[in-house]
Amino acid sequence: MRKKSLISFGIVVALVLSLFVSNVFADPYDMSVNTDGSIIGEYNAETKTFTVTGTGAIEDYSSSGSPFYAIKSEVEHLVIGEGITRIGNYAFYKGSNLQSISLPSTLESIGQAAFRESSGLTSISSEDLPNLDVIEESAFIWFKGLETINLDGLTEIGNYAFQSRGYSTDTLTTVTVENINTIGQGAFSNQRNLSTITLKTIGTIEKSAFESNKSLTTISLDGVGTIKTSAFSSCTSFSSVTFKNVD
């Protein structure tokens, strides 16, 4: 009888452990463009961490179609590993509970609305992302928590890439952009607390790119080719404006 009890107890423990493991580590998600398993996303419920590993481009998704979207309210930490070159459209949309995001130095492009309405970054810098070339339309639109942006050598910052809602709680204060072909329409618009902008060697600043930045006091333009209509409209707090080598 005692032997049977011990066996039964062992079975119960094994079942509990298996349930625990299955709850902590969800089945891996294939996030590769060609569904070939070259990029895998895994969620650890214990640490609330979503980790992406592999090489190449993460797939493009519809607004609610990514594996991340299904568990977005649970995830607090996002780790995208070295080897990933592109973050697909809507891949991490509405990650508003994210406390941290780790991006790889191999990253070359960030897709449309990839981090729309998300959080978890306080800064974006070309120093940390030396291969970044394109930030697509609305990639970080309505993103919460960004304080500084320092980008150098990109081909394009897309339309509305960093547009905000113009709330008093906006955190972005400083933007430095150098050696970039195009800053898209509305790219940095409605940033309520953005105070300082430095732009150097820019091909084109599209219309409304910095529109309605009510706290913008200091702007420096050096080597800007074309500034489109309303690029700085409704910016009402200028105290220092410097132009150099502006067509």
Side-chain angles (χ1 to χ4, degrees):
M1 179 68 70
R2 182 176 175 79
K3 185 176 181 181
K4 287 184 178 180
S5 298
L6 287 172
I7 292 172
S8 298
F9 178 74
I11 292 172
V12 170
V13 170
L15 286 171
V16 169
L17 286 173
S18 66
L19 286 171
F20 173 77
V21 171
S22 64
N23 285 332
V24 171
F25 296 99
D27 292 336
Y29 307 97
D30 189 336
M31 301 182 72
S32 56
V33 171
N34 298 317
T35 320
D36 59 4
S38 59
I39 296 178
I40 296 297
E42 295 182 283
Y43 178 58
N44 183 330
E46 187 175 40
T47 61
K48 299 185 182 299
T49 302
F50 193 95
T51 303
V52 182
T53 56
T55 56
I58 294 175
E59 184 179 355
D60 288 334
Y61 297 98
S62 63
S63 59
S64 59
S66 78
F68 173 85
Y69 188 85
I71 54 173
K72 64 184 187 301
S73 61
E74 302 175 29
V75 184
E76 294 182 357
H77 308 285
L78 174 62
V79 178
I80 303 175
E82 293 294 319
I84 303 299
T85 57
R86 171 179 161 77
I87 297 173
N89 298 348
Y90 289 96
F92 303 105
Y93 170 49
K94 282 197 171 182
S96 57
N97 289 325
L98 286 172
Q99 298 176 14
S100 67
I101 297 175
S102 177
L103 298 175
S105 63
T106 52
L107 192 61
E108 297 173 5
S109 63
I110 300 174
Q112 179 180 340
F115 292 100
R116 175 178 171 173
E117 297 179 62
S118 291
S119 60
L121 287 170
T122 58
S123 66
I124 296 177
S125 172
S126 291
E127 184 175 342
D128 300 321
L129 304 170
N131 294 295
L132 187 61
D133 185 56
V134 176
I135 298 175
E136 295 182 19
E137 182 173 339
S138 303
F140 292 92
I141 191 172
W142 306 335
F143 191 96
K144 294 181 180 179
L146 269 177
E147 298 173 3
T148 61
I149 295 173
N150 191 333
L151 296 171
D152 187 350
L154 278 67
T155 298
E156 179 183 10
I157 298 174
N159 297 343
Y160 313 108
F162 294 97
Q163 185 187 64
S164 184
R165 298 182 189 271
Y167 293 157
S168 61
T169 53
D170 287 347
T171 53
L172 185 64
T173 60
T174 305
V175 170
T176 302
V177 178
E178 299 184 30
N179 303 304
I180 288 180
N181 291 353
T182 304
I183 298 176
Q185 178 177 333
F188 295 94
S189 57
N190 295 328
Q191 287 287 352
R192 179 72 172 270
N193 293 309
L194 179 58
S195 60
T196 303
I197 295 173
T198 301
L199 305 174
K200 184 176 182 181
T201 316
I202 310 295
T204 301
I205 300 174
E206 293 289 352
K207 63 182 182 179
S208 306
F210 294 92
E211 184 177 28
S212 298
N213 291 325
K214 304 294 185 181
S215 298
L216 186 58
T217 58
T218 304
I219 181 168
S220 173
L221 302 175
D222 184 355
V224 177
T226 302
I227 302 175
K228 296 288 187 70
T229 305
S230 305
F232 296 94
S233 67
S234 300
C235 296
T236 55
S237 300
F238 284 134
S239 62
S240 175
V241 180
T242 304
F243 293 92
K244 184 179 180 181
N245 301 316
V246 177
D247 293 347

